[in-house]
Amino acid sequence: MLTTEELEKLFLMPESDRVERKSSAADRSGIRRAICAFANDLAGHGAPGVIFLGVNDDGSCAGLDINDALLKDLAALKDDGNILPIPSVEVYRQILRDCPVAVIEVHPAANPPVRYQGRVWVRVGPTNRHATPEEETRLAERRRAGDVPFDLRPTSTATVEDLDLHYVQSVYLPAAIPRPVLEENRRSLDQQLRSLHLLVGNSPTWGGLLVCGRDPQAWLPGAYVQFVRFEGTQLTDPIKNQRCLSGRIEDVLRRMDELMEVNICIRTSVTSGPKEVQRPDYPLIALQQLARNAVMHRTYEATNAPIRLYWYADRVVIQNPGGLYGRVNESNIGSGATDYRNPLVAEAMHHLGFAQRFGLGIPLAREALAKNGNPPPEFEFTPTHVTVTIKPAP
């Protein structure tokens, strides 16, 4: 809901693509058209449009009786099946400059175009009119843009300055683009960032911040790995070591590799011959593949939960926020079936050398565990988490 100060500012403005005035509620069709038009937000303000009832065109107070019955009738206008999809509307009484008014606050639709009696209405300046085919296309494209994966969506407030451009130019571009192509490329850095989906317009994508951001956790607080080494087998046992692995995705993955490598125990057995046989309790490649899988496929949206890598005396547990995604299910996971909640993150991990062939992470882990004598990994699936448990070699 808009604040009183915001309402007063709009109240004093002339009619525009965010403001309409009506002296009474007699023209219900006109009110519905205005609701439809404000919901479509053709200008792309991303802010509510407001209909003030009880105000004349010249801004003077019409003296309309703003009672509960009127407010209920106005609130019902969006629900009678004439405006679809149903828009988000708030209706309330307000006194502005000593004038009692009914405020109809219409929020931009998440899935435009919105139609009134089958026709798309848009707001152009102070008027409501039928949308042209080109305007309908713009609204449909805006809806499709909202359907793209989270890591490909532009942020609302970050700027190019929030990307580490030195890292982009010295590390990521050479990794993502073949050297001959990069040397012949005469496009500007902004154009290169857009071609790699790190930038949309002038705003970094969420994936761009994760891959090349100066401080990714400032924008996505849960985008880190929580590593804990326990002395025993229970969550309540003393903690031997703990780390918070944050930074860009490459930083997180490299530090995670280092931690897993130093925590692996190498067992040496002497056979009847002259050679010693060394075997780790966990094969590094298996832990790497399963942990990287968590970074690639976790949900970064709508949660501040980290990936948890908990190392107990008798097992390693990796838990990532986000259930199975797309066409991957409990019966086909690890069989080559794959889908991408975060396609930009997956692409970046491939460019940076952390994912060679998509869909092979779990099969590679299973193969490495079997060769080392470990039991197969155990998976647990919930709507909000995927957990994998790895047991040591006997």
Side-chain angles (χ1 to χ4, degrees):
M1 182 183 293
L2 293 169
T3 65
T4 302
E5 292 76 14
E6 290 171 323
L7 282 173
E8 286 188 348
K9 183 178 178 180
L10 293 171
F11 184 75
L12 296 173
M13 290 172 56
E15 287 194 334
S16 66
D17 55 8
R18 285 197 62 198
V19 177
E20 174 148 333
R21 296 189 182 89
K22 289 189 174 295
S23 58
S24 73
D27 183 11
R28 299 300 174 93
S29 292
I31 295 173
R32 289 188 181 94
R33 288 195 295 269
I35 291 173
C36 178
F38 282 137
N40 279 319
D41 186 27
L42 181 66
H45 290 297
V50 178
I51 306 168
F52 294 108
L53 265 74
V55 188
N56 296 312
D57 288 342
D58 61 4
S60 61
C61 188
L64 185 65
D65 180 20
I66 312 297
N67 53 50
D68 288 346
L70 174 64
L71 295 176
K72 289 177 68 174
D73 286 347
L74 294 174
L77 292 179
K78 71 179 181 68
D79 296 320
D80 60 8
N82 282 297
I83 306 174
L84 294 171
I86 296 173
S88 174
V89 174
E90 296 178 81
V91 178
Y92 50 93
R93 184 179 188 273
Q94 190 81 21
I95 297 178
L96 299 170
R97 297 299 173 110
D98 298 324
C99 180
V101 295
V103 177
I104 304 177
E105 187 177 319
V106 185
H107 297 269
N111 297 298
V114 177
R115 290 175 167 82
Y116 167 51
Q117 293 184 341
R119 301 292 298 271
V120 177
W121 289 82
V122 293
R123 188 84 174 173
V124 178
T127 62
N128 304 311
R129 63 168 175 77
H130 292 141
T132 65
E134 291 78 13
E135 288 166 342
E136 283 198 39
T137 299
R138 282 171 57 190
L139 294 171
E141 287 174 346
R142 188 182 299 165
R143 181 192 68 238
R144 288 195 294 272
D147 292 339
V148 300
F150 175 72
D151 65 341
L152 290 172
R153 297 179 199 168
T155 60
S156 57
T157 54
T159 68
V160 178
E161 298 301 317
D162 294 300
L163 296 176
D164 187 338
L165 299 182
H166 175 72
Y167 175 82
V168 172
Q169 292 177 296
S170 63
V171 177
Y172 193 68
L173 282 176
I177 302 173
R179 183 175 295 277
V181 176
L182 194 59
E183 290 174 349
E184 295 174 7
N185 198 325
R186 292 182 174 84
R187 290 185 297 176
S188 67
L189 179 59
D190 277 5
Q191 290 173 323
Q192 291 174 323
L193 292 173
R194 292 187 183 96
S195 72
L196 292 171
H197 309 295
L198 304 176
L199 204 65
V200 172
N202 293 316
S203 299
T205 58
W206 290 107
L209 290 173
L210 285 167
V211 176
C212 300
R214 293 181 181 278
D215 185 5
Q217 287 69 40
W219 303 95
L220 294 161
Y224 68 97
V225 175
Q226 183 185 61
F227 174 89
V228 183
R229 178 72 189 261
F230 296 92
E231 289 189 356
T233 61
Q234 303 298 319
L235 192 63
T236 53
D237 285 337
I239 292 174
K240 193 174 182 179
N241 187 16
Q242 60 180 322
R243 293 285 188 274
C244 175
L245 310 183
S246 59
R248 290 185 291 267
I249 277 183
E250 182 181 12
D251 302 327
V252 171
L253 293 171
R254 293 200 187 284
R255 292 176 63 198
M256 191 164 61
D257 282 357
E258 292 168 2
L259 266 176
M260 290 189 295
E261 189 168 7
V262 300
N263 279 277
I264 289 174
C265 178
I266 305 294
R267 293 170 178 161
T268 302
S269 60
V270 180
T271 63
S272 56
K275 292 186 66 176
E276 292 182 343
V277 177
Q278 293 187 332
R279 183 173 65 176
D281 52 355
Y282 300 98
L284 178 61
I285 186 173
L287 297 182
Q288 285 176 327
Q289 293 299 324
L290 295 170
R292 292 171 184 178
N293 217 48
V295 173
M296 183 184 294
H297 295 295
R298 66 156 290 173
T299 178
Y300 290 94
E301 183 181 11
T303 179
N304 290 328
I307 293 168
R308 293 182 170 87
L309 202 168
Y310 287 180
W311 200 299
Y312 296 91
D314 64 345
R315 68 196 186 281
V316 175
V317 178
I318 302 169
Q319 183 186 75
N320 70 303
L324 295 175
Y325 179 79
R327 65 190 189 95
V328 179
N329 55 49
E330 294 185 27
S331 62
N332 66 18
I333 187 171
S335 64
T338 189
D339 211 334
Y340 298 104
R341 176 182 275 119
N342 307 300
L344 178 54
V345 170
E347 181 181 295
M349 288 176 63
H350 173 68
H351 290 325
L352 295 168
F354 294 99
Q356 285 70 41
R357 294 175 62 189
F358 299 139
L360 285 185
I362 293 176
L364 285 173
R366 284 176 171 158
E367 181 182 359
L369 289 168
K371 283 183 178 179
N372 195 60
N374 297 69
E378 300 171 5
F379 289 91
E380 180 185 346
F381 307 103
T382 73
T384 58
H385 288 89
V386 172
T387 305
V388 58
T389 300
I390 310 102
K391 302 278 183 70

